[in-house]
């Protein structure tokens, strides 16, 4: 197999590295005279990209040249802060082992080029003139008169892709309907971007990022290593323009200077404005930001990737990282194709099409979601809609983890080179990469909603026969109540104490931020007054729908706010034992039903207020953000203590009168049991709980018989808590599964037939290395020339022969 790569940018050089490590013959054609020109561009690299670079041996040079982002600031158009600085970025490094880093694009290009072993296969000043598509292969003709042959052509040549144009031309000669006119006109621009690199400004710190939100305008400023500044100024065009139209803007240096002078007043910080960045500029460029997600990425033996097939806006920094992932996915398919075909037989068109189709199928969902997210983020920064305004000025200030959660979701299911060992650094995080989770792999909210139908049905039937806790609450505080009636009411009080404790703990969990579960106090109040039979199932339905198992991929998302969690036990002891003390003391609290109703309505809010006071008075000096970074199990002792104490009290009451229960008890215990079964089903589906349903239900029934149903439910919830804290999804890329130099193909068994045996025989997974650890002679071809179709096309001096 031989691959002709067109384009020597980040995607092209990454592809060259991946093919060399796969021992796949290739030639790279770059139209520029340098592989690492300084064109004023910067790039933000995600942990997913750094993991791939680590596999290729290019990561350390990049890490040495950059600093991870540490702090994000979000500003209004006047430079004032929308909310306190966002300190969550280090959490990404804690989760994935690599931080989000920004640096000169030139440095990344140089690092990738330096990682290539046989540099003679990378050729400069090679501008493609024409591609000839044949049944047995392809020929790429360059403007300097040279020709390069191969089995496939891969276009990594950016938004102005010559390979894409040639692919469209070739397809139109055979099947004019393959690429429709609508497809050809997909690329448009709605925003311009003036970007550049500047010298440091006094008082600014490495790793700081500033976002500015304004109607039709936005700014992104990153302070990199040594204070070097990477900046972007975005401005909405009067109307969208098509890429191939005469109206598509092509800006000059004078246009950039005029824009900078006109908009220089715009602040990005309380100290500095755009004009300060411009004054200290090193390089700059003004462009229209193209956007397009093409439907077809390949035809015959030609494929495009990166900006040539999915061009994104720059606000989120997704484009370059998506291209790197697409390259890795393509390398995986080409390596699989190489391992399953004879080296002496040319690849057939059907074999190539099958490999390209598998590549696209692997990438389509993830790319589509990433592209849409990038477009949404661009519009949100430009405050295009009322929803954007609400999100920026009202949601973000109350959800510091919102942006981190979006980044995490985008990283979880990232591509990796499946035929190379996973780097040790990628195992250090608290959120293992997982190809079955993240962007494009989200669990269906509709399906989860269907699972809640039993709960919603229970709520509906309870609505038909309304009840409340007024009667049992009155019984608890009545000295004239019979012993049996009071015991029943007290049993229900202990049950609600256990269940409400779980609600309060869930309300302070990181995974439940910005969901209705945070309003547990409100749900408790409604449960008291409208009846647990109506409200409890609704609460559980909200929880289940908004808590898919992928939310817990980062272990810190299971974490609760320890300061509040420690207050749950004293609050629930007060809730449970005060009636007992009043009964023992013979104290009578005469209240009519109206007074009881108001007590039930307001009591949960009083609990919430007392929790707040306890936290403020220093019952805990822990910080949930620091716990997320340093100790993701900090809350487990408090949770365990709370559940054990409350279920012990419930068990003692059950032992004292095992046949006595309040008629309302099933209305809160039964929906809780269904909720727990749904949560356990999630654990089993994710492979995090390997016990059989028979074992699980038998254990639950046994505990219920011995200690009572409330105790069984409380301990069942605690069991789930411990599983979340200690177990990983079955597809998580962890050291336990992948350590010791194992590859994805080897562990998952998804590689070519015989791959595992080959790895064992060679002692390594890198087919591009010989036994002495050096790069071999390109699939057995002579080192002085690469033989393709029986003749040497490219000598190692880089000249055409």
């Amino acid at each position: 197999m031989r691959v002709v790569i067109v384009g020597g940018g980040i995607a092209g050089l990454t592809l060259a590295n991946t093919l060399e490590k796969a021992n796949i013959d290739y030639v790279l054609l770059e139209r520029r005279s340098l592989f690492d020109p300084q064109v004023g561009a910067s790039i933000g690299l995600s942990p997913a990209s750094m993991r791939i670079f680590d596999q290729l041996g290019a990561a350390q040079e990049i890490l040495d040249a950059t600093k991870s982002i540490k702090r994000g600031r979000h500003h209004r158009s006047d430079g004032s802060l929308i909310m306190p600085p966002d300190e969550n970025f280090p959490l990404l490094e804690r989760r994935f082992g690599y931080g989000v880093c920004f640096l000169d694009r030139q440095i990344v290009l140089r690092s990738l080029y330096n990682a290539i072993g046989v540099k003679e296969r990378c050729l400069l000043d090679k501008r493609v003139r024409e591609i000839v598509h044949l049944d047995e292969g392809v020929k790429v003709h360059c403007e300097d008169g040279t020709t390069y042959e191969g089995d496939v052509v891969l276009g990594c040549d950016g938004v102005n892709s010559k390979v894409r144009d040639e692919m469209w031309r070739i397809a139109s000669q055979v099947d004019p309907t393959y690429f429709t006119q609508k497809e050809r006109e997909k690329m448009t621009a709605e925003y311009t971007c003036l970007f550049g690199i500047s010298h440091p400004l006094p008082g600014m710190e490495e790793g700081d990022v500033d976002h500015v939100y304004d109607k039709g305008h936005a700014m992104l400023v990153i302070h990199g290593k040594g204070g070097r500044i990477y900046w972007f100024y975005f401005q909405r065009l009067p109307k969208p323009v098509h890429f191939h139209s005469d109206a598509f803007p092509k800006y000059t240096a004078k246009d950039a200077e005029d824009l900078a002078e006109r908009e220089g007043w715009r602040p990005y910080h309380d100290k500095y404005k755009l004009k300060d960045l411009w004054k200290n500029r090193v390089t700059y460029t003004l462009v229209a930001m193209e956007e397009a997600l093409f439907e077809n990425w390949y035809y015959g033996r030609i494929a495009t990737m990166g900006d040539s097939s999915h061009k994104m806006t720059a606000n989120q920094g997704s484009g370059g990282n998506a291209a790197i992932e697409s390259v890795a996915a393509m390398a995986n398919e080409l390596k699989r194709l190489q391992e399953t075909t004879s080296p002496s037989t040319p690849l057939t068109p059907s074999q190539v099409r099958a490999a390209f189709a598998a590549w696209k199928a692997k990438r389509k969902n993830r790319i589509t979601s990433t592209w849409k997210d990038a477009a949404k983020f661009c519009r949100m920064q430009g405050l295009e809609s009322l929803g954007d305004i609400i999100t920026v000025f009202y949601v973000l200030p109350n959800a510091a983890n919102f942006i981190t959660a979006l980044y995490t979701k985008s990283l979880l299911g990232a591509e990796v080179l499946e035929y190379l060992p996973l780097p040790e650094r990628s195992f250090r995080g608290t959120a293992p990469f997982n190809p079955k989770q993240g962007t494009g792999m989200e669990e269906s909210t509709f399906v989860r909603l269907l699972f809640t139908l039993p709960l919603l049905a229970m709520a509906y039937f309870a609505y038909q026969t309304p009840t409340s806790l007024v009667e049992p609450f009155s019984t608890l505080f009545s000295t004239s109540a019979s012993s049996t009636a009071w015991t029943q009411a007290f049993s229900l009080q202990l049950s609600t104490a256990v269940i409400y404790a779980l609600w309060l703990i869930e309300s302070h969990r990181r995974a439940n931020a910005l969901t209705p579960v945070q309003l547990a106090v409100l749900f408790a109040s409604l449960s008291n007054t409208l009846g647990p039979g109506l409200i409890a199932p609704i609460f559980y339905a909200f929880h289940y729908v908004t808590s898919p198992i992928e939310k817990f991929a980062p272990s810190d998302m299971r974490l609760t706010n320890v300061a509040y969690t420690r207050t749950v036990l004293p609050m629930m002891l007060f809730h449970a034992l005060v009636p007992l003390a009043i009964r023992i003391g013979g104290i009578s609290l005469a209240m009519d039903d109206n007074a009881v109703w108001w007590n039930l309505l307001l009591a949960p809010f009083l609990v919430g207020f007392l929790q707040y006071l306890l936290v403020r008075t220093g019952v805990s000096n822990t910080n949930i953000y620091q716990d997320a970074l340093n100790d993701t199990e900090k809350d487990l002792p408090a949770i365990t203590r709370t559940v054990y104490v409350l279920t012990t009290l419930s068990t003692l009451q059950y032992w004292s009168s095992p046949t006595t229960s309040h008629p309302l008890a099933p209305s809160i215990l039964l929906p809780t049991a269904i909720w727990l079964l749904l949560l356990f089903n999630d654990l089993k589906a994710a492979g995090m709980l390997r016990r059989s349903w028979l074992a699980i239900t038998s254990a639950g029934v046994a505990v219920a018989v011995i200690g009572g149903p409330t105790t069984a439910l409380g301990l069942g919830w605690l069991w789930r808590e411990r599983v979340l804290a200690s177990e990983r999804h079955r597809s998580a890329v962890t050291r336990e599964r992948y350590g010791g130099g194992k590859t994805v193909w080897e562990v998952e068994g998804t590689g070519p037939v015989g791959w595992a045996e080959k790895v064992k025989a060679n002692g390594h997974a890198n087919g591009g290395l010989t036994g002495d650890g050096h790069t071999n002679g390109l699939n057995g071809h002579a080192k002085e020339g690469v033989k393709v179709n029986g003749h040497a096309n490219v000598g190692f001096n880089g000249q055409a022969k």
Side-chain angles (χ1 to χ4, degrees), residues 11 25 48 130 150 173 357 368 371 475 484 490 503 509 616 650 776:
D25 185 11
E130 182 186 26
Q173 296 173 352
T368 300
W371 186 86
T475 302
T484 300
F490 184 63
W503 290 19
R509 193 189 298 280
R616 296 290 293 178
S650 179
N776 66 20

Side-chain angles (χ1 to χ4, degrees), residues 3 65 81 84 166 170 176 186 243 268 288 384 480 530 545 615:
V3 178
L81 284 172
E166 285 295 283
I170 292 167
K186 265 191 175 180
F243 182 68
Y268 79 90
E384 283 202 8
S480 62
L530 300 179
V545 170
V615 171

Side-chain angles (χ1 to χ4, degrees), residues 556-583:
D556 64 89
M557 292 301 283
R558 184 214 58 81
L559 187 68
T560 63
N561 190 323
V562 182
Y564 278 90
T565 302
R566 288 175 178 171
T567 68
V568 172
L569 180 56
M571 290 298 98
M572 291 303 100
L573 286 176
F574 179 82
H575 171 80
L577 298 182
V578 165
L580 179 62
I582 290 176
R583 179 74 173 183

Side-chain angles (χ1 to χ4, degrees), residues 5 11-21 24 26 28 116 121-122 327:
I5 305 170
L13 288 174
T14 301
L15 182 57
N17 273 279
T18 64
L19 296 182
E20 182 174 80
K21 299 298 186 295
I24 295 175
Y26 74 90
L28 186 153
I116 295 173
R121 284 184 280 186
C122 301
V327 162

Side-chain angles (χ1 to χ4, degrees), residues 141-216:
H141 299 295
C142 296
E143 291 186 357
D144 63 359
T146 57
T147 297
Y148 303 90
E149 299 181 18
D151 292 288
V152 297
V153 174
L154 301 181
C156 301
D157 49 344
V159 67
N160 296 294
S161 174
K162 179 66 174 179
V163 173
R164 186 182 63 231
D165 290 343
E166 285 295 283
M167 181 174 69
W168 287 351
R169 178 186 63 79
I170 292 167
S172 67
Q173 296 173 352
V174 179
D175 182 4
T177 64
Y178 191 85
F179 293 102
T180 65
Q181 190 62 30
K182 181 179 179 181
E183 175 90 345
R184 295 168 184 266
E185 295 176 355
K186 265 191 175 180
M187 189 172 291
T188 60
E190 294 186 27
Y191 279 81
T192 60
C193 179
L194 174 64
F195 62 89
I197 302 174
S198 294
H199 294 298
L201 291 171
M204 306 307 291
E205 298 182 14
E206 295 178 341
D208 279 358
V209 177
D210 290 280
H211 298 267
V212 180
Y213 303 83
D214 191 12
K215 186 70 174 178

Side-chain angles (χ1 to χ4, degrees), residues 751-765:
V753 176
W755 175 258
E757 289 73 14
K758 180 177 180 179
V759 170
K760 292 176 183 177
N762 294 341
H764 48 71

